Amino acid sequence: VDDDTPPKTLDSRSLESLAKYIKDGRAKRIVVMTGAGISTSAGIPDFRSPDTGLYANLQRLNLPYAEAVFDIDYFRKNPDPFYALAQELYPGSYRPTITHSFIKLLHDKGLLLKLFTQNIDCLEREAGVPDDKIIEAHGSFAKQSCIECKYPYPKDQMQQAIKDKSVPRCLNSECNGLVKPEIVFFGEQLPESFFRNRFLPEDSDLCIVMGTSLSVQPFASLPQACGESTPRLLINSEQVGSLGSRADDVLLLEDCDAGVRKLAEACGWLEELENTWSET
Ligand code: CNA
């Protein structure tokens, strides 16, 4: 649409109208979709930002192409680069951002239908969003298992392996397959919970997309599942996917933390948000 097409649901395509929609109690089933950009201010690099992203900084791992570090066929042949990187990405040393706390605040207010995240850093949980509200579409470091027979592997041994940058092997002695955290690699199936919930956005009355380039399918198609007249808000440094193509899309093309602060302020929630964050 061009910018003159009148919105169907909002008064106008602006943050103020969106905040009014929320304050009027019309957004009670909010679906949030996130990616690595909501964790960069916590100190975790994303994949695709030029200069600072992981893909721009992988020369030291001698990969044939950047994505190979998360490719299951490559991992089978050479798991070392992944284990070198896993040490940096492993949860435990990062604090959730105010953007994570904003999602927690939506939950506290009873407005969060579901959070779909591509992140594997577990910061949503650390911010206090309950497990049953989170779909970790690309898995997480929370569990680990053998890539061949799926035999589970103990967490403490995985932590040690990651610390030592050593590659753990299946504890089922007949197998001896490679073990990896249950994060979804290219070439692997997404968790069943993703497929079970992928049409949930149809039932939402507001969609908020933050910190993702929307370049990985099938996650990238989630915003399209929202109803045509459901407002969709994008908070991201750049325009992504089809966000902006519908009359009720609102774009905040800026830093996530700055964007959620503006939205919270427009809703009259800024102080509450800052308090929620400082308690994390
Ligand atoms: P991506 O492709 O790297 O895209 C990140 C997007 O966020 C880009 O559009 C950036 O412009 C934008 N961005 C970065 N920083 C900010 C910021 N501070 N404010 C606003 N926008 C910002 O990452 P995606 O998540 O889209 O790609 C999917 C991959 C990345 C998933 O499979 C993840 O598992 C994987 N990943 C996750 C993490 C993590 O868990 N924190 C880190 C790195 C990669």
Side-chain angles (χ1 to χ4, degrees):
V1 292
D2 59 52
D3 283 345
D4 300 334
T5 311
K8 299 181 184 113
T9 307
L10 300 175
D11 297 335
S12 70
R13 291 177 75 170
S14 66
L15 182 67
E16 290 65 35
S17 295
L18 191 80
K20 181 171 182 300
Y21 177 75
I22 297 172
K23 282 188 292 185
D24 287 350
R26 295 169 69 198
K28 292 204 176 76
R29 297 166 65 79
I30 303 177
V31 164
V32 177
M33 301 168 189
T34 59
I38 72 162
S39 295
T40 51
S41 71
I44 309 174
D46 65 5
F47 275 177
R48 294 178 183 81
S49 281
D51 305 333
T52 56
L54 275 178
Y55 286 162
N57 290 284
L58 289 175
Q59 297 91 335
R60 61 202 158 92
L61 298 181
N62 278 325
L63 296 159
Y65 54 100
E67 284 91 344
V69 70
F70 297 109
D71 185 293
I72 194 65
D73 294 327
Y74 185 80
F75 180 83
R76 253 192 201 98
K77 282 182 281 186
N78 183 8
D80 296 327
F82 169 75
Y83 274 97
L85 192 64
Q87 201 179 43
E88 283 169 44
L89 296 179
Y90 202 72
S93 37
Y94 302 100
R95 181 185 172 214
T97 68
I98 198 160
T99 301
H100 292 96
S101 292
F102 180 76
I103 305 168
K104 163 75 159 67
L105 186 66
L106 291 179
H107 167 70
D108 289 346
K109 293 183 174 294
L111 305 179
L112 181 69
L113 180 61
K114 221 46 131 183
L115 163 67
F116 291 86
T117 183
Q118 296 167 96
N119 294 346
I120 51 177
D121 54 30
C122 300
L123 288 184
E124 308 77 4
R125 296 180 199 201
E126 271 175 56
V129 181
D131 268 9
D132 66 340
K133 288 283 159 118
I134 309 175
I135 306 294
E136 284 170 332
H138 295 167
S140 82
F141 278 100
K143 288 190 208 147
Q144 45 282 319
S145 56
C146 170
I147 63 167
E148 309 300 344
C149 74
K150 307 294 169 208
Y151 195 78
Y153 192 80
K155 183 155 201 99
D156 53 339
Q157 291 190 43
M158 177 53 93
Q159 279 165 337
Q160 195 57 47
I162 287 189
K163 216 187 265 168
D164 303 342
K165 297 188 185 179
S166 68
V167 181
R169 291 270 172 179
C170 186
L171 296 179
N172 174 358
S173 52
E174 274 130 62
C175 174
N176 199 38
L178 294 165
V179 168
K180 76 164 184 55
E182 288 185 5
I183 57 180
V184 179
F185 277 29
F186 296 110
E188 286 190 305
Q189 186 71 270
L190 273 62
E192 186 263 331
S193 60
F194 175 83
F195 294 101
R196 213 175 341 111
N197 288 285
R198 68 181 302 184
F199 297 112
L200 209 55
E202 282 177 11
D203 303 331
S204 69
D205 44 27
L206 172 62
C207 169
I208 304 179
V209 180
M210 303 189 278
T212 171
S213 63
L214 285 184
S215 49
V216 181
Q217 291 291 1
F219 191 98
S221 299
L222 284 175
Q224 265 112 280
C226 297
E228 277 293 325
S229 52
T230 301
R232 302 186 305 178
L233 169 67
L234 173 69
I235 310 180
N236 204 56
S237 335
E238 53 178 353
Q239 186 171 356
V240 294
S242 66
L243 275 295
S245 65
R246 293 184 183 177
D248 286 275
D249 287 349
V250 175
L251 306 183
L252 276 186
L253 300 183
E254 59 177 296
D255 176 70
C256 288
D257 295 344
V260 298
R261 279 192 167 100
K262 276 188 195 164
L263 175 58
E265 172 141 58
C267 291
W269 300 344
L270 187 55
E271 204 185 323
E272 234 177 312
L273 174 63
E274 297 284 357
N275 289 339
T276 304
W277 188 42
S278 61
E279 285 157 15
T280 345

